[in-house]
Structure formats: structure tokens, C-alpha cells
Amino acid sequence: MRCIVALLAMVLPFMLVGQFSDNFSDGDFTNDPVWEGDEEKFIVDNGLLRLYDDEAGTAWLATESGIVHHTQWEFWVRLAFTPSDNNHARIYLVSNQKNLTGPLQGYFIQIGKTGGDNKRIYFYRQDGEHLEELMSGSMNIAGATNNILRLRILRDGAGNWEFMADPSGGTMYVMQGHAFDNTYTTTSWFGIVCRYTVSNSRRFYFDDFYAGEIIPLEAPSVKNVQVVTANTLDVTFSGMLDHASAVNAMNYVVDGGVGHPLVVAFDDEHPSVVRLLFGDSFQENHLYTIGISGVANPDGQLMDAWEGQFVHYVSSLFDVVFNELMVNSRPEVALPPHDWLELYNTTELPLNLEGWVLQHGSTQRELPRAVLPPKGYLVLCTEEAYELMQGYGNVAAVPGLSATALTIGGTDLVLWDDRGNLISFVSYNSLWYRNPAKAQGGWSLEKIDPYNFCQGAENWTASISESGGTPGMQNSVFGSNPDQSPPRLLRAAPLDSLNVRLTFSEPMDRRFLEDVQHYAIDHDIGRPLSVEPLLPDLARLDMLLPDPLQPGVIYTLTVSELLTDCAGNNISQRQCPLALFEKAAAGDLVINEILFNPPDFGARYIELYNPSDKVFDLADFVIASEDTLEHLLTTVQNISQEGFLFFPGDYVVLTADTAAVKRTFLSPAPDAFIQLAAMPRMTNAGGIAVLATRGHQQIDKLIYTEDMHVPLLTSAKGVALERLSPDRPTQDVFNWHSAAASAGFGTPGYRNSQHLVHHANEDTSFSLGQKIFAPDGSGHNDVLNIFYTLEQPGYVANIRVFDSRGRPVRLLVQGKLLATSGVINWDGTNDAGLKASVGLYIIHVEVFNTGGNVHHHKLTAVLAGQL
């Protein structure tokens, strides 16, 4: 027994001495095992062996290795350059000499040579100084500027060599080739040689060296089953497969009467993928079960029997919807401080979203493999956020998605399937929170009814969850909220004389939109030649006309009553005007009403009016403030990004929060609003509003102050200033008045409560619009209008108001230079700013010029009031 033990003690070291492995986790290459050679030219950097030279040259390292027969060599290499004759790596598997740069007997792998088709792995035998190429790899796997490879080489006892590589650095090996050579059957050394120019003297990396007995590959397992066509499947396994077992059709069977495949195809360049061709086509959107067994890897390891499901999925709009958005995660409430979005599967099928595209703004990101279960959720986040978010159910990191992709103010989000079909869209806005405090951060926007596909703001609101959101689960605001509002045709605008764009109030059913029979234009234009709905929102379409629009003609465009929104509601407003537009000159459009001191929970607005007989496109205009020193436009806002025709007699309201204005004021013209990204600079005390072209040609300007309000108001907060007449100068302070209380202190989008309709008789130099007025805020005769017409310019006026006993009440005008015609009004207040008493009043007018002409006029009026 002692002899046997002693013999084993002597033999075992010799049996094991030939094997070695090194992953440099100990931080050096000088121990266990010991590497020798140009040690000063290498370092261990973050667990990797790295060349670290300052000059061009050749560097080598070697370690003892004595195993050749029935051996596996494996290693990881990174070449951070494109290899060539002057820049490449050699890995010596077998060598009888330690110095790998001199004459020796052995075998080595070289990665790449000069030439576009030579970025392969090559296998050489070295006889002294002579090199004999034995194998050229099947693939150009090192043609990039940053090549990360893992190689696996096997040799049996007879001299048969087998070469495999994973071009991604993992273990999904692809066969590169075979060779036979049994010239050298012993070895003493294993090592590396780097040849490099100065620019690549620090760009070689090595790791995970192994030389030893052959370690069988793991038994294959199924990673994915993907439908390629209506009768073709691709089955992806976890690694290389044995060819004979992989192509055996009896190893695959599909239920539902489909059975075994007719043909099984196997591609040697993709040895982990098998294509199955069946005789019968799969039903669309039907869930099938496939069973797979009997498949082995090249080492003969047999897979465990596997069963899975697949579906020949044909997508439809809104199969998947955006369901929750965390667009401003800081300061956090209870969820991780990262932005994310949640998708919801409205179907009864599991959906693989691999290859689908998430679009935010104009940027598109391809989704990784992620299965969205039936009626289930998927949270999409950045790669940085994944570790913290993965605890919230079904989560996937989107490659390349930036932390700022979901902009706080709002953006367009679109989901496309892997064939480019539109699936879902949402154009969210921070106003959808309906809660300014929650909009500041930490709270998500949640969809109320995931099956209400059409509506935007009406179907979203801030989360009420104590965590600030509900990623991966039913929303905290979940409830039935069906879309029952009929869509409306909002407007049409010409792109040119033959092309017109229509805009609807909400997304429409695409099937009806595409039928040219559903549209007609009068004045002999008729039906369009073609119609193209615009993606993704389906609320717009472009049409090509058979004949060009003519200047000066206002057309009527009519759409069919058969048009519906995507919820099936029939259209209610079916007509809109259409015309070619003109360029504007100063005074063609006017600022007609302004609210610069909004009420609580309200919003500022500016109303425009078109008093001309022309049609304009508001996409050509901006609204701005003005620098008071250099008189340059500031805080400029484009009024419309797309065509928005402004017809004679029309009103339009500009605001940064349409919903807030409509909540505060009566809105009989809801389509007369344009929501801007922001308003020009405005303060509660006053400011400057300028309407100009995009070329900054001024069309109208109003310098406004709170002093322009009626002094009788206890507060100007929430009260709009209304223009009395579009024909009088904008900057005439007598042409503005506080909106009537009876009109809710504002009339956005329709005729002003204080509009002026009376004009003076031409044969009278001074007259009253009405003799009785009642400044009670009712909107009816709130002010006394004094009209005047003068035979020539240059007159200066003094106007005083006296009561019936001749006592002075109000100095209305003093030393004012008058135009040849105009209006001056009295709001019923005295010089102290208090409301005058009810009764009879005398208005004394004195006008004179430098020629010595003096005229006096005496008018009488009654200031009335409620008894």
C-alpha cells in the first residue's frame, strides 16, 4: 500500500503540470502561473492583461504548458484597432521555446492580416523560422476598430484541430474551421506575441486563458422561437448544435394540427439557429405550442425536453398603448429617481417587442427582447436605471435611451412594430397633471382608461398613488372613461394651390380617412385625386386636388358624415372654409383683447381679430414682447407650426394653457384657440404685446398698463382689456376698456363685450353714441362714447364734464391733439376715480388750432343706474 501511495504522489504532479488557467483576478501575471518575457511592456488593468508600451515594436509573454493531446485552449482577446500585418496578435498554443519571437517548433493563432478580406483567425505551424498556414477562418470576425473575441480550440489525440469563435466575446461559438496536423506532439510553453505600431502600443487586451482537458459544452436549451413567415419558424438555441440532431424534423412538433416541419434548415455560420418550414400556414393571432426534444450540442450533450408558445402575430393599431409616464422623477416621492414609461398590452396574446421601435420626438430607439404578457405591463427605462427599476415587475432597458428623452414639458411618443406599422402614440404635456404641485416632480402621468385610445388630456392625470406612480401594475386612477365626444373638422389650409392639409379635433379611423369619396370642395373643385392620412396622430391628412385653388375665392370643404374617430364616434362639424392666403401689412390684423393679470388657476391670453377682407396664414406670424431700449422683439413665440387660416371677421386666442382659459371664461368658439409653448413676457402690471411676421415686420403693437382698466374695479385680477373698435388706433387709451362683468370679465374667441358699433354723422363735428349710459359692467352702454369729425387736422381739445348744477366733475381731455375723426369715451368716474352720481351731465368741448379758430360744443347725457 505504501508503494502505491508513493507512486501516485510521484505521478500526479506530472499529470497536472501541463494544464493552466489565468484570469488575472489576482492583479498580476508574475504568480500562479508565472509569465515570462517582456514583462515591462505589460500590466494588469482592471483584471485584464494589457500591452502597455510607448513605442512601436514586438512584445511577448510565455508561461509553462505541457498539454497537447485531447486538449482545449480557450481565451478572450480585445484588439482596439483593425488588425493588419503590422498590428496583430499571435497566441501560441504549442511551443518548444520560451522566447516566442525566435526560431521554434509549434503552433499559433494569428488574428488578422492586411487586406479587407483578411480579418479572420489563421492557424499556423512554425518550423524554426518557416511558417506554414494550416487554416483560414470562415468569417471576417476582426474587421472593426474595436474587436472583442473569445476563441475555443480543440485537438484530439490524432492531430485533428477544431476552431470556434464568438465575435461578441461570449460563448455563442461559431465554427471557424478544421485542420489536421500531427507534426508536433509535445509542448513546453504557451504564450502571446503582440506586433504593433506606436498608435496601437496600448490597445491589446487578453483574459481568461485556459489550456487543459476538454470541457464539454453545456447541453443546449431553447432561447427563443420566432415566427419568420406564415409557415416558418426560427428556433434559437443557447449554443452550437450537433448537425444531425438539429435537422431531425421529428425533434420538433407544433399543436393545432400543424405537426412536424417538412424541412429543417441549418446554417453553419449560425450554428445555434434552426429554421423550420411547415406544410400548413399558421393562423393569424392564434397561440400555438411547440415541443422540442432530442437536440444535442457537438459534444453530444442532449437538451432537456422543452415546450413553449408562439403566435403568428399581425399587429393592429392600439394592440399596445402608452399607459403611464414618469417624465419628471425628481424630487422623488418613493420611486427611484429615474424617468420611465409603461406600456400595456390590450390583447389576449403574449407579444415579443424585440425589434419594435420607441420614438421620442424625432429620435428612434430599437427595443430589446421583451415579452409583454396578455393584459400585462412592460416598463421601459434607461440602461442606467435598470438595476433600480427591475424590481417593479416586467422591465426592459432600452439601448441608447437617454435620461432626458422624456422631456418635462412634453413631447411626442410613438411605438412602431418591427415591420414599421404604427401601434400607438401620445403627445403628452405637463398641463395634463392638472396639479401644479405634482407637475414639479416625483409623480407620474397615468392613463385613466387604457381602452380609450383616442383622447389625450381628457384621459390622463397625475397619479394618486402614495409612491408617486404605479410602474408594472394597474394605474391608481384606473377607471372607465370612454370617448363619447364626436370629432370635428377644425380647419383646412393650402400647402400650395393643389395640395391641402386638413386637421381634425382628434385621431380618426384610418379606414374612412383614405377614401376620396368622403371629401368635396365647392366652386367646381369636387373630390380630391388622392388622400394621405398623416402618421402618427391620424388627426391630419393631405389631399391632392384635381384643379388649383384660385386667389380671392373662399371655398367650402365638406367631409362625409361617415367619418369617425378611432372610438367610432361620427363626425359632428363637417365643413370649414378654405382659401389661398395673402401677405399681411401693418394694421391688417389687430390685437383685440388681452388678459395680462390672470385669475387663480387661470392663464394669460391675447386675442387677435381680422378686420380686413383678406385671408392670412397664422403660421406666418409671431407674437412677442419688445425691448424698450432698442425696440427689438423679445420672447418671440411662433403662433402656429402648421397652416392655420385666419379669415375676415375671425377671432383667435393665443395662450399657453387653453384648458385653463376655457375653465375661467365662457368659450362659445372652442376651436378659436391656439396653444403656444409659452407666452411672451407679460406682467400683472403691464407690458408690450407685438404681432409681427416671422420676418419681424410689425403688424400691430399694444403698450398696456393696469391703469387702462376702469378705476371702479376693486381689482384688475382676472379682468381682460377689450378693444372698443378695430378701426381706431391700437395705442389710443380711449379705445380700451375693461371687459364687462356680465360677460365674465373676458370674451376670448368672440365679439368683445365693449365693442363699438356707432359712428358719428359726417355733418356733425361732435356727437354722442348714446345719450344714456350705465357704467355697471353689464356690457351694455357701459361707457359714453363721444364721436368727432373735424374739417381739418391740427385741432387741440379740452373736454370737461359738469353736473346739472354746473359743478365740474371730470376733466376728460386737456390739451389733446385730435385726429380728423375719432372717439373719446367717459367711463362715468369723477376726477377722484369714484363713480359719479346718477343724473344729467353736460359735456363741454373746446377745440382750437394755431390759426386762431376756436369752437365750443355742449352735449348732454344721462348717467343711469339701478334703482
Side-chain angles (χ1 to χ4, degrees):
M1 177 66 78
R2 290 182 181 178
C3 293
I4 295 174
V5 173
L7 180 61
L8 287 173
M10 293 171 61
V11 171
L12 282 175
F14 291 99
M15 293 174 60
L16 302 175
V17 71
Q19 299 189 123
F20 85 93
S21 64
D22 198 349
N23 62 8
F24 306 101
S25 59
D26 57 1
D28 63 54
F29 55 88
T30 58
N31 293 290
D32 194 26
V34 176
W35 294 78
E36 302 177 64
D38 295 320
E39 295 98 325
E40 72 281 0
K41 296 182 181 180
F42 291 88
I43 63 171
V44 174
D45 182 10
N46 290 322
L48 302 176
L49 179 65
R50 180 182 181 183
L51 176 69
Y52 207 78
D53 199 1
D54 294 321
E55 300 176 353
T58 301
W60 64 277
L61 286 177
T63 188
E64 292 187 40
S65 174
I67 186 169
V68 175
H69 298 294
H70 303 289
T71 300
Q72 172 180 322
W73 292 270
E74 189 172 329
F75 47 86
W76 179 94
V77 181
R78 176 190 173 198
L79 304 180
F81 56 87
T82 304
S84 65
D85 290 342
N86 296 321
N87 292 278
H88 60 257
R90 291 179 178 177
I91 296 89
Y92 277 83
L93 311 177
V94 171
S95 176
N96 67 336
Q97 299 294 327
K98 178 171 66 174
N99 185 349
L100 304 178
T101 60
L104 56 84
Q105 295 177 339
Y107 302 95
F108 67 85
I109 296 289
Q110 178 171 314
I111 303 176
K113 298 189 293 187
T114 297
D117 194 42
N118 296 330
K119 311 309 178 187
R120 308 168 184 270
I121 63 170
Y122 297 90
F123 181 54
Y124 288 91
R125 185 185 73 236
Q126 183 168 340
D127 307 310
E129 294 183 348
H130 174 73
L131 303 181
E132 183 74 24
E133 183 180 310
L134 302 177
M135 191 279 303
S136 172
S138 62
M139 300 168 59
N140 275 305
I141 60 175
T145 56
N146 184 34
N147 304 283
I148 300 176
L149 314 172
R150 186 179 294 273
L151 277 68
R152 183 176 189 256
I153 302 100
L154 306 180
R155 171 176 167 157
D156 65 12
N160 294 297
W161 299 78
E162 187 175 274
F163 304 88
M164 290 164 277
D166 184 341
S168 66
T171 57
M172 189 68 76
Y173 293 111
V174 178
M175 187 63 66
Q176 298 299 306
H178 297 81
F180 172 79
D181 192 280
N182 204 31
T183 304
Y184 303 118
T185 58
T186 62
T187 183
S188 300
W189 300 93
F190 173 97
I192 58 173
V193 176
C194 303
R195 185 174 183 181
Y196 48 91
T197 57
V198 65
S199 60
N200 293 321
S201 61
R202 297 185 180 184
R203 296 183 176 179
F204 291 72
Y205 303 81
F206 304 90
D207 199 9
D208 295 340
F209 286 112
Y210 171 82
E213 62 182 10
I214 296 176
I215 303 173
L217 295 171
E218 291 185 4
S221 60
V222 178
K223 293 186 65 178
N224 184 32
V225 175
Q226 182 175 359
V227 178
V228 180
T229 68
N231 64 343
T232 307
L233 296 178
D234 271 357
V235 181
T236 302
F237 291 86
S238 58
M240 295 177 61
L241 304 176
D242 167 67
H243 187 279
S245 64
V247 299
N248 185 346
M250 300 308 294
N251 290 338
Y252 311 90
V253 63
V254 174
D255 70 351
V258 177
H260 301 286
L262 295 179
V263 179
V264 181
F266 186 81
D267 186 349
D268 288 334
E269 290 195 0
H270 301 88
S272 62
V273 180
V274 177
R275 177 157 292 184
L276 311 179
L277 176 65
F278 294 86
D280 295 329
S281 295
F282 310 125
Q283 297 179 37
E284 292 182 0
N285 298 331
H286 176 79
L287 199 60
Y288 289 92
T289 298
I290 181 172
I292 304 175
S293 61
V295 179
N297 67 19
D299 296 337
Q301 305 296 315
L302 198 64
M303 70 175 292
D304 293 331
W306 180 87
E307 194 173 83
Q309 293 180 318
F310 70 89
V311 58
H312 178 212
Y313 172 62
V314 178
S315 67
S316 295
L317 189 63
F318 306 123
D319 278 356
V320 178
V321 297
F322 293 97
N323 195 57
E324 188 172 0
L325 309 172
M326 178 63 85
V327 301
N328 186 12
S329 55
R330 293 182 175 89
E332 63 267 31
V333 176
L335 296 173
H338 293 283
D339 293 354
W340 45 267
L341 62 87
E342 179 190 81
L343 303 177
Y344 175 71
N345 182 355
T346 65
T347 77
E348 301 289 345
L349 301 171
L351 303 180
N352 179 10
L353 272 55
E354 184 174 12
W356 287 31
V357 172
L358 171 67
Q359 179 176 329
H360 54 92
S362 59
T363 303
Q364 294 190 336
R365 302 291 182 189
E366 188 170 308
L367 300 185
R369 175 171 172 77
V371 176
L372 186 50
K375 307 296 182 182
Y377 305 90
L378 173 66
V379 175
L380 300 179
C381 64
T382 65
E383 294 170 301
E384 177 188 6
Y386 179 74
E387 184 176 351
L388 290 176
M389 290 301 302
Q390 62 181 334
Y392 293 90
N394 192 17
V395 180
V398 180
L401 185 68
S402 72
T404 57
L406 303 179
T407 54
I408 296 173
T411 192
D412 298 333
L413 296 176
V414 189
L415 186 66
W416 310 87
D417 73 8
D418 54 352
R419 292 178 174 83
N421 298 311
L422 175 66
I423 302 298
S424 186
F425 55 88
V426 62
S427 297
Y428 71 88
N429 189 291
S430 60
L431 299 175
W432 289 10
Y433 279 97
R434 309 178 197 177
N435 185 318
K438 289 186 176 181
Q440 295 302 309
W443 298 85
S444 71
L445 277 171
E446 293 186 349
K447 200 169 194 177
I448 300 169
D449 186 346
Y451 297 94
N452 178 347
F453 303 135
C454 295
Q455 290 184 313
E458 304 90 340
N459 198 34
W460 290 78
T461 191
S463 173
I464 58 175
S465 167
E466 293 182 355
S467 298
T470 54
M473 65 181 70
Q474 187 181 88
N475 289 345
S476 62
V477 299
F478 174 82
S480 177
N481 185 34
D483 175 11
Q484 297 176 337
S485 301
R488 306 184 309 281
L489 174 62
L490 296 182
R491 56 186 173 272
L495 303 174
D496 54 47
S497 63
L498 283 172
N499 291 276
V500 175
R501 177 164 293 175
L502 274 62
T503 301
F504 297 88
S505 60
E506 59 178 301
M508 303 293 287
D509 189 316
R510 185 173 181 175
R511 296 170 300 170
F512 299 109
L513 283 185
E514 294 175 327
D515 189 346
V516 297
Q517 299 300 316
H518 291 161
Y519 309 90
I521 302 176
D522 64 359
H523 293 291
D524 298 323
I525 295 292
R527 306 194 186 283
L529 297 177
S530 63
V531 174
E532 181 182 357
L534 298 185
L535 302 180
D537 60 10
L538 293 173
R540 301 171 301 155
L541 63 85
D542 288 346
M543 61 171 54
L544 174 64
L545 307 183
D547 297 301
L549 301 173
Q550 298 301 311
V553 179
I554 295 181
Y555 299 84
T556 297
L557 188 149
T558 305
V559 301
S560 168
E561 69 276 5
L562 297 178
L563 293 187
T564 69
D565 62 17
C566 58
N569 299 307
N570 287 95
I571 192 165
S572 59
Q573 182 175 299
R574 298 171 44 220
Q575 289 188 332
C576 69
L578 171 66
L580 294 175
F581 53 86
E582 301 180 51
K583 296 296 181 182
D588 279 343
L589 301 177
V590 298
I591 298 171
N592 196 58
E593 184 176 343
I594 185 167
L595 177 68
F596 52 90
N597 186 358
D600 294 335
F601 308 111
R604 296 182 170 95
Y605 68 79
I606 297 173
E607 180 190 77
L608 307 180
Y609 175 66
N610 183 356
S612 75
D613 58 359
K614 304 173 186 177
V615 179
F616 304 104
D617 185 357
L618 289 176
D620 291 339
F621 296 86
V622 300
I623 194 74
S625 186
E626 184 182 76
D627 179 271
T628 57
L629 296 178
E630 301 192 14
H631 302 289
L632 299 176
L633 298 188
T634 62
T635 58
V636 179
Q637 301 293 328
N638 294 330
I639 290 179
S640 180
Q641 301 301 326
E642 289 194 326
F644 194 115
L645 296 185
F646 200 26
F647 290 88
D650 275 1
Y651 301 86
V652 70
V653 181
L654 312 179
T655 178
D657 192 345
T658 297
V661 175
K662 289 182 177 180
R663 286 195 303 268
T664 309
F665 298 97
L666 177 67
S667 303
D671 298 334
F673 286 74
I674 296 180
Q675 184 155 305
L676 308 180
M679 291 293 285
R681 184 178 182 276
M682 306 171 78
T683 71
N684 293 343
I688 303 175
V690 180
L691 174 65
T693 66
R694 289 209 180 194
H696 289 197
Q697 173 193 351
Q698 184 173 300
I699 302 300
D700 196 18
K701 180 172 77 170
L702 170 64
I703 303 173
Y704 56 91
T705 70
E706 59 184 350
D707 292 338
M708 295 168 68
H709 278 293
V710 174
L712 296 175
L713 290 173
T714 56
S715 172
K717 186 181 182 72
V719 181
L721 269 180
E722 294 183 332
R723 188 183 189 122
L724 298 182
S725 171
D727 302 321
R728 292 166 56 186
T730 300
Q731 213 46 59
D732 180 357
V733 294
F734 291 108
N735 198 26
W736 293 89
H737 196 279
S738 304
S742 61
F745 295 111
T747 55
Y750 62 105
R751 193 177 70 174
N752 290 347
S753 63
Q754 304 290 6
H755 69 284
L756 189 61
V757 296
H758 182 81
H759 295 282
N761 297 323
E762 293 185 359
D763 58 352
T764 304
S765 57
F766 282 85
S767 65
L768 299 179
Q770 71 284 341
K771 291 185 178 294
I772 301 175
F773 73 110
D776 55 9
S778 66
H780 178 67
N781 293 338
D782 271 345
V783 295
L784 180 69
N785 295 300
I786 306 167
F787 294 88
Y788 66 87
T789 302
L790 302 173
E791 71 274 11
Q792 64 183 34
Y795 276 94
V796 175
N798 295 316
I799 302 177
R800 295 176 173 84
V801 179
F802 298 89
D803 64 16
S804 58
R805 298 173 62 183
R807 292 175 296 186
V809 174
R810 177 77 181 271
L811 177 59
L812 200 58
V813 170
Q814 184 175 27
K816 179 180 176 65
L817 180 64
L818 300 181
T820 55
S821 64
V823 182
I824 296 170
N825 54 55
W826 178 38
D827 57 16
T829 61
N830 58 26
D831 285 332
L834 302 176
K835 182 179 178 181
S837 302
V838 172
L840 180 69
Y841 288 88
I842 300 167
I843 294 88
H844 180 264
V845 180
E846 177 187 41
V847 292
F848 57 90
N849 62 15
T850 56
N853 296 316
V854 180
H855 299 279
H856 293 273
H857 302 271
K858 186 179 293 185
L859 307 170
T860 58
V862 174
L863 192 159
Q866 294 182 349
L867 297 177

